[in-house]
Amino acid sequence: MTSSPARKAVTAAGKRTEWQLKLYVAGQTARSVAALENLRNICETHLAGRYEIEVIDLLVNPQLAAGDQILAVPTLVRKVPEPMRKIIGDLSNEERVLVGLDVRPLRSA
């Protein structure tokens, strides 16, 4: 199965990524740090080389919450592939995150 070029994003370096993720946090709280660490682990396990994570600290840029209608933090937003999806929490439940992102685990049982 191939992806449509329109569904892929292009990074500043010109490299195509299939998954664009935004993680909204509010400072360096334990919950925010855990969410980023959990997200990185999940992405490296299931989306290696095919993802881009942008971390947005709402304490620094609170106006950025309006664009994605962020009401709680941490919140993960899947921008690409469409449709957009949101997951709230520290992302510690890998299975829930995979279902929320619509990622099929690479590991077999």
Side-chain angles (χ1 to χ4, degrees), residues 12-89:
K15 181 182 173 187
R16 291 190 179 273
T17 57
E18 297 177 36
W19 294 80
Q20 276 190 340
L21 306 170
K22 287 186 178 182
L23 180 63
Y24 289 89
V25 297
Q28 293 290 317
T29 65
R31 193 168 163 92
S32 296
V33 171
L36 181 57
E37 184 177 324
N38 290 331
L39 179 59
R40 284 185 175 146
N41 288 335
I42 291 169
C43 287
E44 280 301 311
T45 303
H46 301 283
L47 301 171
R50 302 183 296 143
Y51 71 93
E52 178 181 301
I53 299 171
E54 180 181 1
V55 178
I56 299 171
D57 188 340
L58 295 179
L59 293 181
V60 177
N61 295 307
Q63 72 280 4
L64 296 179
D68 284 326
Q69 299 177 339
I70 302 302
L71 302 174
V73 288
T75 296
L76 174 64
V77 177
R78 182 185 85 178
K79 301 294 280 188
V80 174
E82 293 180 354
M84 182 174 72
R85 292 186 174 200
K86 296 179 186 175
I87 302 170
I88 298 171

